[in-house]
Amino acid sequence: MESSMEGCQTQFIYCNGAATEVLKVGAAHHLSGTDVLFLIIPGNPGVVGFYRSFMQTLHGMLGHPVWAVSHAGHCAPPGSMDMVEDASAADKRDAFGLNGQIQHKLIFLQQHVPRGTSLVLVGHSIGCYMILEMMKREPGLKVLKAVMLFPTIERMAQSPQGKLMTPLLCQLRYLAYLPVFLLSLLPHSLAALLIRLLFSSIPALDPSVVPPSVQLLSGDCAVNSMYLGGQEMRMVLERDDVTIRRNLDRLIFYYGATDHWCPVSYFQDMRRDFPHGDIRLCDRGLRHAFVLDAGREVAQMVAEWIRRSMRT
């Protein structure tokens, strides 16, 4: 099922048996194996609508098609679609867990991107961990560059935000299901008003993030996001130095200076251990959830990095 709005095309598909939203900007129907495709692997929640402004700016500056693939189950599929094709099969392969989400991205590439397409992977937060795993599991992927924005690739539960969220996501997650269910019953207009109130402290809020935030209140989407978050706290432990070293010339890391999910000490460790890597520290005061108010600004930075790297 497809829809188009403001130069973006939205598709809902089943991938690895789970409902998946794909957002496309530029050349949606004519991708060939000779193209360069920018593919966004989102953070958590993996709702692609949050990246709309980022994607439009990136496409406008570079001209290449830019796609974003949601995490499995991190969407509100149309009424004609269930969240999964086969519930028992989805449970068996843990489709909404961290490993299932990584497999989901690899299957998406196999089924929906022509073989031989050159990829620029752009990860955000846990999406960076997924990209490293994708490159590890499928070393034949034709990845030109992988851009890691605010990367949560190690010691998540030990980070300041991880220490706060681990009890909620791992021990108390089920207690959050009732308020999530009640919020899902709100009329769309009231839910949008609530979101705007929650974000009222962000003066430059990108209005395009309000609809996906409302989508996140749809119940199943939020539950799947919390389930993934609990697995992140338990499974994202040691940094994968082997994969990083093997692909160092293709990786760009961008850490936040005030990021409570990956503190500056993680950046300093990376710089010490990989002195020849392209590892940057934000000097613009950007938040971990940059899509809320700085999607265009970050896209402009990424475009410049890619332009320079393509010339060398």
Side-chain angles (χ1 to χ4, degrees):
M1 184 167 292
E2 300 182 6
S3 64
S4 297
M5 185 175 65
E6 297 178 0
C8 296
Q9 181 193 69
T10 300
Q11 291 180 306
F12 287 93
I13 60 173
Y14 283 117
C15 181
N16 200 26
T20 303
E21 183 177 1
V22 183
L23 186 62
K24 300 180 178 182
V25 182
H29 291 295
H30 306 291
L31 192 65
S32 71
T34 60
D35 286 321
V36 174
L37 172 65
F38 283 69
L39 182 64
I40 314 299
I41 309 297
N44 185 10
V47 179
V48 293
F50 285 122
Y51 298 85
R52 183 180 297 269
S53 294
F54 175 83
M55 295 170 66
Q56 289 173 323
T57 303
L58 201 56
H59 173 67
M61 293 188 67
L62 296 175
H64 296 295
V66 182
W67 294 6
V69 57
S70 78
H71 296 326
H74 290 215
C75 61
S80 59
M81 289 183 70
D82 294 325
M83 192 60 88
V84 291
E85 290 182 295
D86 183 329
S88 62
D91 286 343
K92 186 175 181 179
R93 61 176 172 263
D94 197 19
F96 300 141
L98 183 55
N99 184 63
Q101 298 288 2
I102 295 163
Q103 284 300 119
H104 172 264
K105 306 307 175 293
L106 291 171
I107 290 170
F108 175 81
L109 285 172
Q110 293 166 5
Q111 295 180 346
H112 298 279
V113 176
R115 184 180 298 275
T117 300
S118 297
L119 299 169
V120 177
L121 301 177
V122 182
H124 175 213
S125 192
I126 193 61
C128 302
Y129 178 90
M130 294 183 188
I131 286 175
L132 287 178
E133 279 294 312
M134 291 163 65
M135 296 174 77
K136 176 182 179 180
R137 299 181 192 189
E138 293 290 342
L141 288 176
K142 194 176 178 182
V143 178
L144 301 179
K145 282 289 178 181
V147 180
M148 311 295 213
L149 301 172
F150 304 91
T152 52
I153 57 173
E154 60 174 309
R155 296 176 285 171
M156 284 191 68
Q158 297 177 36
S159 68
Q161 193 70 6
K163 290 176 182 177
L164 180 67
M165 294 299 293
T166 295
L168 174 63
L169 292 171
C170 296
Q171 286 86 40
L172 305 175
R173 174 164 49 90
Y174 292 102
L175 297 179
Y177 286 179
L178 178 59
V180 165
F181 170 72
L182 295 176
L183 287 170
S184 73
L185 301 178
L186 291 175
H188 185 277
S189 58
L190 190 56
L193 177 61
L194 176 62
I195 291 297
R196 291 185 183 278
L197 287 173
L198 290 173
F199 289 152
S200 60
S201 62
I202 303 176
L205 181 70
D206 185 340
S208 74
V209 305
V210 174
S213 299
V214 173
Q215 177 181 324
L216 188 58
L217 298 179
S218 67
D220 286 345
C221 186
V223 166
N224 292 337
S225 173
M226 287 188 288
Y227 176 69
L228 174 60
Q231 290 206 354
E232 291 172 29
M233 298 305 110
R234 293 189 174 103
M235 296 174 65
V236 180
L237 303 172
E238 298 301 318
R239 194 179 64 202
D240 186 355
D241 286 356
V242 173
T243 301
I244 292 172
R245 187 169 292 109
R246 184 177 295 136
N247 297 282
L248 191 60
D249 62 332
R250 297 191 287 174
L251 300 174
I252 300 173
F253 291 91
Y254 187 74
Y255 282 83
T258 57
D259 189 344
H260 298 300
W261 279 114
C262 36
V264 173
S265 61
Y266 291 12
F267 158 78
Q268 293 168 338
D269 292 345
M270 280 285 290
R271 285 288 295 269
R272 179 196 67 219
D273 296 339
F274 300 99
H276 301 296
D278 192 343
I279 303 164
R280 305 161 186 248
L281 183 66
C282 174
D283 60 1
R284 302 180 180 219
L286 302 178
R287 67 182 79 237
H288 183 86
F290 71 89
V291 292
L292 296 179
D293 57 354
R296 293 182 179 86
E297 182 179 353
V298 174
Q300 289 167 359
M301 287 194 304
V302 170
E304 287 303 317
W305 301 340
I306 297 301
R307 277 176 178 162
R308 286 198 292 268
S309 69
M310 295 296 193
R311 287 198 294 262
T312 58

